[in-house]
Amino acid sequence: MGVARRITAPGRVNLIGDHTDYNLGVALPVAIDLGTTIEFTDNDSDHLTFFSTLYPQGIDLPRGLDLDMDILKNLEPPWARLVGAMIATVRPEHGGIGRIETTIPVGAGLSSSAALMVALADILGAEGSPRTIATLVQQAETFSGVPVGIMDPLVCAGGLAGHGLLIDFATLAIEYVPIPESAELVVVDTGVRRSLRFTEYASRVAECEAAAVTIGPLGQAEDADVAGLRDPSLRRRAHHVVTECARVRQVAAALAVQDLPTVGSLLVESHRSLATDFEVSTPELDELVTTLCAIDGVYGARLTGAGFGGCVVAVTRPGAVDLDRFPAGAWRLVPSDGTVAASAGSVSGAPGGNPEAAAVAG
Ligand code: GLA
């Protein structure tokens, strides 16, 4: 009791495969070297208090908080909903005080929420494989009022340095795909944050569910099934998911032979599909993709994450993009390990790595 512990969970960038996770399809995300760190000291109280460097007001929540959506989604300030949902899910044995800091831009589509939740799950005492932790986090986020898929926490918990994760959401099997050293991952922020984001996200989830009633999970459907959908809007949504899953597999194959031009053109096709068939792009995202693709040494670019604002990811030759050109934020990101425990005082020090991932990857 009373000993400080620190945990860092990374954000993620999705290289390709958006809006496929809740459709039981496939995606190829990467854990990144931006992350959220919590330092936590437990005590004998019945309360958990958290402070964040991002928000002036700390939060104080009872240890026995109920896993009740009506209570959780009305907590204030809004980030207390996530923390409360995780407390109610894990049911920690002790109270305590935590300090949170992050290098992930919040709300930019780089999984700031999942990184916070994965780090919280660990600090509050949840144990298990990346799949177990990701399932807990997905459940908690859903109770906080946002019906997200499982991709983000699975990557934050299960990432592996130097690799992307080819995830099959029907089985939650992960294949670790080496990212060639000749490929640089650049992420550029539009700076646009849409408050409607989750309403629109939820409406895409509902549309996909409606299509699945007729043709089954979209991630396992084929072109011929899609043609059988009568509603033109649902047909477009399903067409995106089916073609996106095919592109994910093609990108994994192209990465294996270091064929970066093919990876790049698949990224551009993915963006087009998200913009026209799935309708989750914005003029700012489209413009950034066009700007990036016009730069010598950029193989391709696409919006990444849910859409409706946030970031674009590009695969480039090393050093091709001048990050200073992008005032809302731009990063060269290094494929990184999942949740990393470090002793207090050495957050950025020797990473513990991800033994489960390392075993799978050999
Ligand atoms: C958000 C969700 C994920 C996933 C993506 C879109 O990041 O949290 O579960 O659905 O959008 O691919």
Side-chain angles (χ1 to χ4, degrees), residues 100-171:
I100 303 169
E101 60 188 26
T102 190
T103 52
I104 308 172
V106 171
L110 298 179
S111 282
S112 53
S113 308
L116 170 65
M117 296 294 263
V118 166
L120 270 174
D122 183 282
I123 224 86
L124 296 176
E127 288 179 350
S129 69
R131 281 183 204 97
T132 308
I133 299 295
T135 305
L136 272 185
V137 168
Q138 185 193 22
Q139 181 192 342
E141 279 206 72
T142 304
F143 268 95
S144 77
V146 187
V148 287
I150 200 169
M151 169 168 69
D152 302 348
L154 194 52
V155 186
C156 300
L160 179 64
H163 293 73
L165 286 68
L166 175 56
I167 305 173
D168 179 342
F169 295 101
T171 59

Side-chain angles (χ1 to χ4, degrees), residues 12 14 17-22 111 148-152 197 201 305-306:
R12 67 99 187 89
N14 192 13
D18 271 313
H19 295 276
T20 56
D21 61 348
Y22 55 84
S111 282
V148 287
I150 200 169
M151 169 168 69
D152 302 348
R197 187 177 157 214
Y201 181 90

Side-chain angles (χ1 to χ4, degrees), residues 255-272:
L255 284 171
V257 294
Q258 308 200 9
D259 177 358
L260 300 182
T262 297
V263 170
S265 42
L266 288 160
L267 261 58
V268 172
E269 275 179 44
S270 166
H271 183 80
R272 199 173 300 129

Side-chain angles (χ1 to χ4, degrees), residues 33-106:
D33 54 329
L34 300 175
T36 294
T37 298
I38 305 180
E39 182 175 298
F40 187 78
T41 308
D42 56 15
N43 60 33
D44 280 329
S45 78
D46 276 338
H47 278 248
L48 292 118
T49 308
F50 285 93
F51 298 95
S52 162
T53 49
L54 289 181
Y55 306 102
Q57 195 190 345
I59 55 178
D60 186 53
L61 295 164
R63 191 159 62 79
L65 202 60
D66 280 337
L67 192 57
D68 176 332
M69 197 181 255
D70 288 333
I71 297 174
L72 294 170
K73 73 180 191 199
N74 290 313
L75 289 173
E76 292 291 345
W79 67 284
R81 298 170 198 165
L82 285 173
V83 177
M86 207 67 236
I87 292 172
T89 302
V90 177
R91 303 206 145 258
E93 285 176 17
H94 303 286
I97 298 182
R99 281 168 220 290
I100 303 169
E101 60 188 26
T102 190
T103 52
I104 308 172
V106 171

